[in-house]
């Protein structure tokens, strides 16, 4: 009797791991530079310079610009070039609505010890910057604090969303930092939220964050006044 060999069937479809394109990685780098305060509102972005700095083609940079433009982080002016966006009052409420949704919920869910430690590290980074009188470094530490809060949720999608929000926040804050001690106003709030998180008082931490965001939105609205995206 002939022996029938078992048939090995290939899976109808294979899971594919999404690998970011080079343009997406360039967009991520520029988004980070925005969030870190390295690119100022209204600054002109030059394809050739960025391509050389990052070791990519100008076409790749052009694709990255298109992605950032869809996020309203840069604007393209015909015959003039690409510029960092200047966000105004018309954008503020929308950004803070997103922040309330993701930062407050991330705190209510808690996080791993490593995640909580990252929040504490951002607070301590802010303390060091304040002690050194470095307002820009304090602003960056504040960005790291809010990024670490959202990272508590352990969601890549939320982290990606927050990366865009952090970039928009820094664009708002540039105008507010005419007050030389602008970021120091938030340092104590960050400490209180972190302490509640470390104590496992998650609802209290979330309530503190909600009140913090309400005050911050009011401050931004006062600073920017009427208007929208320029």
């Amino acid at each position: 009797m002939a022996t029938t060999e078992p048939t090995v069937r290939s899976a109808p479809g294979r899971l594919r791991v999404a690998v970011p394109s080079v343009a997406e990685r360039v967009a991520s780098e520029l988004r980070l530079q925005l969030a870190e305060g390295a690119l100022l509102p209204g600054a002109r972005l030059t394809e050739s310079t960025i391509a050389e700095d990052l070791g990519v083609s100008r076409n790749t940079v052009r694709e990255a610009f298109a992605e950032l433009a869809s996020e309203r982080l840069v604007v393209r002016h015909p015959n003039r070039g690409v510029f960092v966006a200047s966000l105004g009052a018309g954008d503020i409420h929308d950004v803070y609505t997103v922040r309330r949704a993701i930062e407050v919920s991330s705190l209510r869910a808690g996080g791993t010890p490593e995640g909580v430690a990252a929040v504490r590290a951002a607070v301590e980074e802010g303390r060091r910057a304040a002690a050194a009188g470095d307002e820009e470094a304090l602003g960056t530490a504040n960005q790291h604090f809010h990024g670490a809060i959202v990272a508590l949720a352990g969601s890549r999608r939320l982290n990606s969303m927050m990366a865009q929000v952090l970039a928009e926040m820094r664009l708002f804050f540039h105008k507010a930092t005419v007050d030389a001690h602008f970021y120091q106003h938030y340092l104590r709030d960050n400490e209180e939220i972190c302490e509640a998180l470390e104590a496992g008082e998650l609802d209290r931490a979330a309530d503190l964050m909600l009140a913090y965001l309400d005050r911050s939105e009011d401050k931004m609205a006062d600073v920017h006044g009427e208007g929208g995206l320029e």
Side-chain angles (χ1 to χ4, degrees), residues 32-33 35-37 99 103 115-126 128-129 136-152 159 162 166 169-170 173 183 190 209 212:
L32 178 62
Q33 290 186 29
E36 299 282 309
R99 293 187 64 188
E103 292 190 56
V116 175
V119 175
R120 169 54 67 185
V123 171
E124 296 305 319
E125 179 188 352
R128 291 191 298 273
E136 280 302 307
L138 183 53
T140 298
N142 190 56
Q143 298 284 84
H144 293 166
F145 173 80
H146 291 284
I149 290 293
V150 173
L152 290 170
N159 289 340
M162 192 59 179
L166 288 171
M169 283 168 54
R170 199 59 176 255
F173 288 163
Y183 288 112
N190 292 357
M209 177 62 79
Y212 171 113

Side-chain angles (χ1 to χ4, degrees), residues 20 38 100 221-222:
R100 288 184 186 91
D222 288 343

